[in-house]
């Protein structure tokens, strides 16, 4: 290969042409390679004026296209791609003409000319929607329009205006040839349409469509040709105008209705409309009213009965009729999957057709038909029916031999199963599942077809039933895998509860303790009563039938069937949280046998014959079996597991030793579930048996734990498993199950793993629940505990936040366990307190909360070792921050503990001298008041000092601080407080802005501790008008906020409070605060006040109704069960009244109320979602009646009064999407999200966020919507702000563009195949949009790709 010059010349290209005729194929190849390199390196114009040179190069390349050597031909085609971009414009048309008329004499491959032309087409940059096409692309299209399209069709579509032109040769797509149409020419047409579809003239589209239809109607066209023609039509339909599409669909409908319609043509029409449903679902949806009945027509019961009668009389199933049915079912699946909303009127017919042909078996036509499918649910005949369906293995063996008729009928059954899958996937989020249609009609037939002979059909049946089970789980409760499978340690902190916390609630025990005991499975899962109705009840009723059928499949040799059946069982177990207690014996023995198998066994002929994406590896099947056994152990009572533990444990332990690391890792997770099942308090089996099993388990885990050459993932799972074993064998009752020497060895290994950087984090998490579970002094060694405590304190100061968090969580587990805390000496306690000081700051509030909780426990254990000047200084720094919520509660608890232990004087001195009025008076005042009450006389100050400060000081901040202190003292002192209400009320008239409000809040706080004295005074102020009435609402709010912790009963005053609040809330300024107070008192006595609120929703005053809606919204954050029981029967009626309110503002409040209900009361509101969702969708649409124009000087501005309403509607949709996506109509949600991308800025940004979540929630539907998303994103990125736009508008435009780019990159990362070389008939707009981005916004796109990559990392 000669070196490529920097600036090639035409002469250098000419010098290579003689070698193209050399007898040596290698020389010809290398010459073409050199020519290619010259063409690539040459400037775009180096051949633009060299007509003679260009002609010679073309001659040489065309000569090599007819070469005997295939490599030479391929290189020649490669040269064409580089050459056409350099040729003069005038030569493009002659070049196309010459290539299209090549007659190959030396080459065997007759597709070379069309391949060369396809390379010619794809060499030019594609035209991009919304932008003028590049000059080269326009020139190429002109040549194609003048030469190639007429060459394909055999006639000129667009007249050239030139007379006496020679006659065109026969078209490449003409039907005159005896050989029929060349399929390669159809590939060429597809490429033209795909590349230049947006540039084609309507007359060209019409001509091409007409030719393609002629090809389909010609009997000489083979199946390959017709398939390619349908693909071409599907792609062309994307670009044809609505008028032409309407005419085309009308032609299809007329074809269906023609009296001369033959079976092959009918099948073609089905294939065509099915393909169109996938390429243009939105445009085709409007025609389904006419098309759907035509597609369903060959699947009717009449035709089915007729076919069965013919076969019963001895006739064979006609292959052509079965092909028609198969095509109809494929089209029906496309309609349901891509046009689900438009197919809703035909749901019953589609279900009937799919059920009919899922059971279609010509070989069984003469056999006795089964009874009505509803007998599956008949309790009296259930056992008899099951025995008839599954009589051991006889059915499978007897049906092993079948005639050739089944070679085609199985295709029909598989297509019917896919239709059922599409119905379940698109309609299980609403009526069909809730009404029981899917379980009453579809599930019984799926269970019956477990005996299907054909492997691929059986797999489709199992996958479809598994989907129904998972959808049931989503409707009842989210499916969660068992803890061992997740490998998520029990102390991982999830999102905080949204429930409101009471100030005096017992916060001494961290939230994670309850999560720990729940996850550790301390109690055997109780057999909860099955649901009385709904999808869960339907699944419970059918589970025995499913298990019996699956148990037969587990005995079959086919690995794919067994693996899919195991996945189905796991879904059932997870959805029902058990449910297999009565049928466990039927599946555990086959599962144990599967676990025994070698991962290399199983490539049987049965499994090898199955294509598709189903894994046939025995190793993967063993992993599935181990996951199922783990789920069974987690969700079933130990009593049920006792008979099977003896066979399960040895085989699972053998799997732990397996060389295949994935099997070994999964077996370790299953071992954890077994440990929980055989240890107290669950305790399956006798103590001797359990001790023997645990010894074997310990030896295997310890071997993996100490094996240095084990995979990192295996070592981490072994660490987790040994932690579970130590935790479950803690306490005096369990100590006999694991020897002290074994426990000590395990603890030492854990300590060693803490020193290893790779295993440190998992070891930290394991140490935490070992600490939490210690119930006896013998469970931990004092030396080990002390050394580990200081090590954890050291790790908590590392830079890695995850490491700091895990270390603090482990320390919290130690601090809250009296057994572990008792083993710490004073030196260790002091050392730990010193190590925690750097974390006692407000830079990370999450870590601060844990740190303060640990310090609280340490102070209780040994206050003099912990409380010193450094801690006091740190706490004074913390109180300066704007604390709130849980962190503030824990801080006050620490302050109270310090005061109660007699160490409060230095802290009080710090609060008063170092902090004083520097911080927020409300925060500092509560801390001082807490310390004053807890420490009493030991803190060095008296209550009278603050009273005196309040009377004498003229500084507003000092007055606020004193008021907050006195209010907190009154709250914590109960009725023994010497404070009188007048101390606070006399400051209501202050000229300061903050003092009156602080006084009102302090009055309410003190009143919460002494209701009888304070509340009458507060209520008397509510009858005063003006500022005094407003302040009294603050006081009432404080009392009601602490109602759960009140020392005295508030019930005698509730009616008076209610009347006072109603009166005060009628004032506009008091409405918001009054509504919140009304909501809080409603929670205290829901039986009395909730019906009253419901009646106020009918009040004629919009203001009153609005206040009522706000009050109802404020009630949802409460977690009182009594309130829920009163709310449940009337919630739907109340929400319906709110949504039908004529006031726009009240409807906006109604949406925010529903949003709050979704977050706090999902179990109450979500059952009514099907009725509420249309109301939300309605308010998310733009209402033209709410848009008006306002004249402002010489300008007219557009004002949208419905914008705030739509914002609230989209916020509600977002909450529904996050909390109840499985219950929503997915198509409606996607329509609103995509429509919202073209709305105002705030809605646009929210819809971008929703799209990123929908990628994960429903990737399949998101992929189908890429074309619509591309249109909206292109509009956003193409928008240009006006030159005189204000800064805010410019920033909004930039933010919208950035958000669109970010979502685009995430979509492209999720669906890279959408822009691949072969994208099928879908995502054409997306592919064009992506190419447009790479050209017009390349730099922005690359920057965003890097940003997304960094965020993902």
């Amino acid at each position: 290969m000669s070196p490529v010059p920097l600036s090639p010349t035409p002469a250098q290209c000419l010098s290579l042409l003689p070698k193209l005729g050399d007898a040596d194929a290698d020389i010809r190849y290398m010459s073409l390679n050199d020519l290619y390199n010259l063409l690539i390196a040459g400037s775009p114009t180096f051949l633009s004026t060299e007509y003679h040179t260009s002609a010679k190069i073309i001659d040489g390349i065309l000569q090599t296209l007819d070469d005997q050597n295939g490599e030479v031909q391929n290189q020649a085609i490669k040269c064409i791609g580089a050459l056409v971009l350099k040729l003069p414009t005038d030569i493009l048309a002659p070049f196309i003409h010459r290539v299209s008329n090549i007659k190959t004499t030396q080459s065997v491959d007759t597709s070379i000319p069309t391949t060369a032309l396809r390379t010619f087409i794809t060499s030019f940059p594609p035209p991009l929607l919304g932008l003028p096409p590049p000059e080269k692309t326009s020139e190429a299209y002109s040549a194609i329009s003048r030469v190639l399209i007429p060459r394909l069709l055999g006639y000129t579509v667009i007249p050239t205006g030139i007379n006496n032109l020679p006659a065109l040769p026969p078209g490449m797509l003409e039907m005159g040839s005896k050989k029929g149409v060349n399929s390669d020419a159809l590939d060429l047409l597809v490429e033209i349409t795909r590349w230049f579809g947006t540039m084609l003239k309507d007359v060209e589209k019409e001509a091409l469509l007409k030719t393609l239809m002629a090809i389909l109607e010609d009997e000489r066209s083979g199946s390959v040709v017709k398939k390619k023609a349908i693909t071409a039509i599907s792609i062309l339909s994307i670009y044809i105008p609505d008028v032409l599409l309407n005419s085309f669909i009308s032609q299809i409908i007329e074809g269906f209705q023609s009296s001369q319609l033959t079976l092959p043509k009918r099948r073609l029409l089905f294939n065509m409309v099915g393909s169109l449903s996938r390429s243009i679902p939105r445009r085709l949806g409007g025609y389904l009213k006419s098309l759907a009945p035509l597609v369903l027509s060959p699947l009717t019961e009449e035709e089915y009965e007729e076919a069965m009668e013919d076969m019963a009389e001895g006739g064979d199933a006609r292959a052509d009729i079965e092909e028609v049915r198969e095509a109809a079912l494929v089209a029906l699946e496309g309609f349901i999957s891509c046009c689900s909303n438009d197919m809703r009127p035909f749901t019953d017919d589609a279900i009937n057709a799919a059920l009919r042909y899922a059971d279609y078996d010509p070989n069984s036509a003469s056999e006795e038909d089964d009874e009505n499918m509803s007998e599956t649910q008949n309790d009296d005949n259930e056992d008899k029916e099951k025995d008839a369906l599954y009589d051991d293995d006889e059915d499978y063996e007897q049906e092993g031999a079948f005639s050739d008729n089944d070679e085609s009928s199985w295709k029909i059954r598989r297509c019917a199963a896919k239709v059922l899958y599409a119905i379940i996937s698109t309609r299980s989020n609403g009526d069909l599942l809730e009404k029981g249609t899917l379980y009453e009609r579809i599930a019984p037939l799926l269970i019956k077809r477990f005996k299907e002979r054909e492997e691929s059909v059986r797999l489709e049946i199992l996958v479809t039933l598994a989907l129904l089970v998972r959808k049931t789980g989503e409707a009842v409760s989210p499916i969660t895998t068992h803890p061992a499978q997740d490998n998520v340690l029990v102390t991982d902190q999830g999102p905080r509860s949204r429930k409101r916390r009471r100030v005096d609630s017992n916060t001494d025990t961290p939230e994670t303790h309850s999560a720990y005991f729940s996850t550790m499975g301390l109690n055997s899962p109780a057999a909860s009563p099955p649901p009385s109705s709904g999808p869960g009840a339907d699944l419970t009723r059918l589970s025995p039938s499913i298990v019996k059928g699956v148990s037969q499949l587990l005995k079959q040799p086919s690995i794919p069937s067994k693996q899919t059946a195991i996945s189905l069982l796991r879904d059932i177990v997870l959805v029902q949280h058990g449910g297999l207690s009565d049928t466990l014996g039927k599946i555990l023995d086959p599962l144990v046998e599967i676990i025994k198998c070698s991962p290399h066994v199983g490539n049987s002929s049965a499994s090898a014959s199955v294509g598709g994406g189903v894994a046939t590896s025995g190793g993967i099947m063993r992993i599935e079996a181990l996951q199922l056994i783990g789920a069974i152990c987690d969700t079933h009572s130990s009593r049920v597991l006792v008979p099977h533990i003896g066979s399960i444990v040895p085989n699972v332990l053998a799997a732990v030793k397996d060389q295949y690391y994935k099997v070994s890792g999964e077996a370790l997770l299953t071992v954890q579930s077994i440990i929980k099942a055989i240890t107290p308090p669950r305790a399956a089996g006798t103590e001797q048996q359990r001790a023997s099993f645990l010894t074997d388990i310990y030896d295997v885990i310890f071997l993996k734990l100490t094996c240095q050459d084990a995979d990192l993932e295996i070592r981490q799972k072994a660490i987790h498993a040994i932690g579970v074993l130590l935790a479950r064998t803690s306490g005096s009752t369990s100590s006999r199950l694991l020897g002290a020497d074994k426990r000590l060895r395990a603890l030492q290994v854990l300590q060693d793993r803490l020193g290893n950087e790779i295993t440190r984090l998992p070891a930290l998490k394991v140490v935490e629940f070992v600490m939490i579970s210690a119930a006896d002094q013998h469970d931990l060694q004092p030396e080990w505990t002390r050394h580990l405590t200081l090590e954890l304190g050291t790790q908590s100061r590392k830079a890695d936040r995850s490491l700091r968090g895990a270390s603090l969580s482990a320390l919290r587990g130690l601090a809250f366990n009296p057994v572990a805390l008792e083993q710490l000496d004073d030196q260790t306690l002091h050392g730990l307190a010193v190590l925690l000081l750097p974390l006692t700051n407000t830079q990370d509030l999450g870590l601060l909360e844990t740190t303060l909780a640990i310090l609280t426990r340490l102070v209780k254990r040994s206050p003099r070792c912990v409380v010193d000047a450094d801690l006091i200084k740190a706490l004074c720094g913390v109180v300066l921050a704007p604390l709130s919520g849980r962190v503030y509660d824990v801080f006050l608890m620490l302050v109270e503990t310090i005061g109660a232990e007699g160490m409060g004087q230095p802290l009080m001195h710090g609060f008063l001298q170092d902090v004083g009025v520097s911080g927020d008076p409300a925060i500092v005042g509560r801390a001082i008041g807490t310390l004053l009450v807890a420490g009493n006389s030991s803190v060095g100050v008296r209550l009278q000092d603050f009273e005196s400060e309040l009377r004498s000081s003229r500084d507003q901040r000092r007055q606020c601080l004193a008021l907050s202190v006195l209010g907190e003292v009154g709250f914590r002192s109960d009725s023994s407080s010497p404070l009188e209400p007048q101390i606070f009320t006399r400051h209501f008239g202050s000229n300061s802005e903050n003092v009156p409000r602080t006084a009102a809040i302090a009055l309410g706080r003190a009143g919460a501790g002494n209701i009888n004295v304070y509340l009458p005074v507060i209520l008397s102020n509510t009858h005063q008008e003006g500022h005094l009435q407003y302040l009294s609402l603050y006081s009432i709010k404080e009392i009601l906020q602490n109602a759960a912790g009140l020392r005295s009963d508030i019930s005698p005053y509730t009616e008076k409070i209610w009347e006072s609040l109603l009166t005060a809330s009628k004032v506009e300024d008091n409405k918001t605060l009054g509504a919140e107070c009304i909501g809080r008192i409603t929670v205290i006595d829901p039986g009395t006040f909730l019906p009253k609120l419901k009646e106020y929703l009918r009040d004629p005053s919009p203001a009153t109704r609005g206040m009522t809606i706000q009050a109802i919204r404020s009630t949802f954050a409460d977690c009182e069960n009594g309130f829920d029981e009163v709310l449940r029967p009337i919630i739907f009626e109340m929400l319906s009244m709110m949504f039908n309110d004529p006031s726009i503002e009240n409807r906006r409040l109604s949406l925010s109320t529903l949003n709050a209900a979704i977050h706090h009361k999902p179990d109450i509101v979500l059952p009514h979602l099907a009725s509420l969702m249309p109301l939300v969708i309605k308010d998310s649409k733009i209402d033209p009646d709410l848009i008006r124009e306002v004249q402002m000087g010489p300008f007219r501005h557009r004002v949208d009064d419905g914008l705030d309403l739509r914002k609230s509607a989209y916020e509600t949709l977002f909450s529904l999407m996050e909390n109840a996506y499985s219950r929503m109509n997915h198509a409606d949600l996607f329509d609103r999200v995509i429509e919202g991308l073209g709305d105002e800025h705030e809605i646009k940004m929210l819809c971008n966020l929703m799209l990123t979540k929908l990628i994960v929630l429903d990737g399949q539907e998101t992929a189908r919507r890429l074309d619509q998303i591309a249109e909206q994103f292109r509009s956003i990125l193409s928008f240009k702000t006006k030159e005189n736009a204000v800064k805010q508008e410019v920033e909004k435009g930039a933010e919208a563009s950035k958000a669109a780019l970010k979502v685009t990159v995430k979509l492209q990362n999720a669906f890279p195949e959408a822009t691949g070389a072969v994208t099928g008939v879908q995502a054409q707009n997306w592919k064009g949009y992506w190419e447009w981005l790479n050209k017009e916004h390349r730099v922005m796109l690359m920057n965003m790709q890097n940003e997304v990559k960094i965020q993902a990392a």
Side-chain angles (χ1 to χ4, degrees), residues 64 93 168 225 320 339 354 384 522 575 622 795 800 951 1106 1210:
T64 54
L168 290 172
V225 169
D320 52 355
C339 312
K384 181 178 179 181
L522 288 181
V575 168
R622 296 175 71 200
Q795 297 298 334
D800 186 351
R951 288 192 297 268
Y1210 273 100

Side-chain angles (χ1 to χ4, degrees), residues 340-610:
S340 56
N341 274 354
D342 300 292
M343 280 297 292
R344 283 179 176 267
F346 305 98
T347 299
D348 288 339
D349 293 336
I351 293 176
N352 291 334
L355 292 176
R356 194 174 295 124
Y357 285 95
D359 200 27
Y360 174 69
D361 192 349
N363 297 294
S364 303
S366 59
E367 300 177 5
E368 183 179 358
D369 293 333
D370 294 323
E371 298 297 328
N372 192 300
M373 291 298 297
S374 62
E375 292 182 4
T376 305
Q377 288 94 323
N378 191 321
D379 294 336
D380 296 335
N381 300 326
E382 185 175 1
D383 294 335
K384 181 178 179 181
E385 184 176 342
K386 292 177 189 174
D387 293 338
L389 287 176
Y390 309 108
D391 187 9
D392 296 333
D393 298 332
E394 294 179 3
D395 286 345
Y396 294 92
E397 294 172 357
Q398 291 175 0
E399 296 183 7
F402 50 90
S403 68
D404 290 338
N405 289 337
D406 201 55
E407 288 300 321
S408 58
S409 67
W410 68 266
K411 297 179 182 178
I412 293 179
R413 295 196 297 276
R414 185 179 64 180
C415 291
K418 289 183 177 181
V419 172
L420 293 176
Y421 185 96
I423 292 172
I424 293 172
S425 64
T426 57
R427 296 297 305 279
S428 60
N429 54 341
D431 53 344
L432 293 188
L433 185 62
E434 296 295 336
K435 293 179 180 178
T437 304
L438 299 180
Y439 274 102
E440 291 174 4
R441 302 181 60 187
I442 295 179
L445 181 128
L446 294 175
I447 299 171
K448 175 185 175 183
R449 292 311 304 175
F450 282 179
K451 64 183 181 180
E452 172 63 50
R453 295 184 295 262
E454 178 60 37
E455 180 77 25
S456 62
V457 182
R458 191 188 310 135
L459 293 177
E460 200 68 48
I461 292 290
L462 290 169
V463 168
T464 302
L465 185 57
L467 175 67
L468 177 56
V469 172
R470 289 195 301 273
K471 292 292 186 181
T472 302
E474 293 172 1
V476 177
S477 62
I479 296 180
T480 55
T481 57
H482 59 89
Q485 180 181 339
D486 282 343
N487 198 24
V488 176
L489 296 174
V490 296
T491 52
D492 287 351
Q493 295 188 41
R496 291 290 185 198
S497 172
R498 296 187 179 96
K499 304 301 183 184
R500 194 168 57 243
R501 291 188 171 274
R502 303 299 179 192
V503 174
D504 63 338
S505 62
N506 182 13
T507 55
D508 193 49
T509 302
E511 290 179 355
T512 54
H513 280 47
S514 60
Y516 163 77
F517 289 118
S518 173
T519 310
M520 287 298 294
L522 288 181
N523 299 317
S524 260
S528 57
S532 59
S533 61
D538 296 333
L539 177 59
T540 302
R541 186 171 60 250
L542 288 180
S543 288
S545 299
I546 297 174
V547 173
K548 190 162 188 177
V550 168
S551 66
Q552 301 299 329
L553 294 176
L554 294 178
K555 301 174 184 178
Q556 301 306 306
S558 168
I559 288 181
S561 290
K562 288 194 286 189
Q563 181 177 323
T564 311
I566 291 170
S567 298
L568 171 61
L569 285 175
R570 189 177 72 243
D571 290 336
I572 292 174
V573 170
L574 295 176
V575 168
Q576 296 188 120
H577 303 289
L580 301 185
S581 299
D582 299 331
T583 55
L584 209 53
K586 297 179 181 179
I587 61 172
L588 277 180
D589 290 340
L591 286 176
V592 170
E593 291 299 320
I594 289 173
I595 293 174
K596 289 181 182 179
C597 296
S598 168
H600 305 293
V601 175
N603 292 328
S604 63
S605 58
S607 64
S609 64
V610 181

Side-chain angles (χ1 to χ4, degrees), residues 169 257 330 428 541 556 571 700 794 937 1038 1143 1262 1294:
Q257 298 171 346
V330 172
S428 60
R541 186 171 60 250
Q556 301 306 306
D571 290 336
V700 172
T794 303
S937 59
E1038 280 296 317
S1143 169
T1262 306

Side-chain angles (χ1 to χ4, degrees), residues 831-1059:
L832 178 57
V834 171
L835 290 171
L836 292 177
L837 280 179
L839 296 174
T840 313
N841 58 67
T842 56
Q843 293 179 358
D844 191 324
L845 293 180
L847 299 182
L848 174 62
E849 177 189 338
T850 308
T851 304
L852 294 175
I854 295 170
L855 288 171
T856 302
R857 299 291 297 181
L858 298 183
V859 170
K860 286 185 178 179
R861 172 71 171 77
S862 181
R864 298 193 180 279
C865 294
V866 179
V867 181
D868 56 15
D870 292 332
L871 179 61
I872 299 299
K873 182 179 179 181
L875 294 179
C876 290
V878 170
V879 80
L880 288 172
L883 300 177
S884 62
R886 173 71 175 170
V887 178
Y888 190 38
D889 292 342
V890 177
F891 175 80
L892 292 178
M893 188 191 310
L894 174 58
V895 171
E896 183 180 12
T897 303
I898 292 174
E901 296 295 334
M903 303 294 292
Q905 185 171 357
L907 183 58
M908 180 63 78
H909 181 271
F911 282 163
L912 294 176
Q913 299 298 324
D914 300 335
V915 179
V917 295
S918 301
D920 185 344
I923 295 174
V924 179
R926 285 191 60 187
I928 294 174
T930 301
L931 184 60
L932 181 61
V933 174
N936 205 351
S937 59
S938 65
V939 297
V941 294
R942 300 174 305 162
L943 178 63
Q944 291 78 9
D945 297 334
F946 293 99
E947 293 184 68
S948 175
E949 176 74 14
L950 180 61
R951 288 192 297 268
S952 61
S953 177
R954 294 294 178 264
D955 187 341
Q956 296 179 5
R957 294 185 64 83
R958 290 183 179 276
Q959 289 179 344
C960 290
L961 179 60
L963 286 167
S964 297
V965 171
L966 294 175
E968 190 67 20
V969 170
F971 172 71
R972 294 180 179 271
S973 299
D974 303 341
S975 57
S976 61
S977 171
L979 299 174
E980 297 292 334
Q982 290 73 21
I983 295 177
F984 304 99
T985 56
R986 69 167 61 105
H987 293 278
F988 280 9
S990 173
N991 295 327
S992 169
E993 181 181 353
N994 297 321
V995 171
R997 184 169 67 248
T998 303
I1001 295 174
L1003 174 65
R1005 191 130 186 100
N1010 195 347
I1011 290 289
N1012 296 327
V1013 173
Y1014 280 78
L1015 191 55
V1017 176
I1018 296 173
L1019 291 178
S1020 66
N1021 290 333
T1022 59
H1023 300 293
Q1024 305 293 326
E1025 295 183 358
H1027 192 54
L1028 192 60
Q1029 186 182 60
Y1030 179 73
L1031 292 175
S1032 66
L1033 293 178
Y1034 275 107
S1035 301
I1036 293 176
K1037 177 184 174 182
E1038 280 296 317
I1039 292 177
L1040 297 177
Q1041 272 183 325
N1042 300 280
L1046 295 180
R1047 281 76 172 179
S1048 54
D1049 188 12
I1050 197 176
S1051 57
Y1053 300 95
T1054 53
E1055 286 289 347
K1056 293 181 180 179
I1057 296 174
W1058 174 267
E1059 296 298 333

Side-chain angles (χ1 to χ4, degrees), residues 300-307 356:
T300 58
E301 186 174 2
E302 292 77 10
E303 292 211 10
Y304 179 81
E305 294 293 340
E306 184 179 347
R356 194 174 295 124

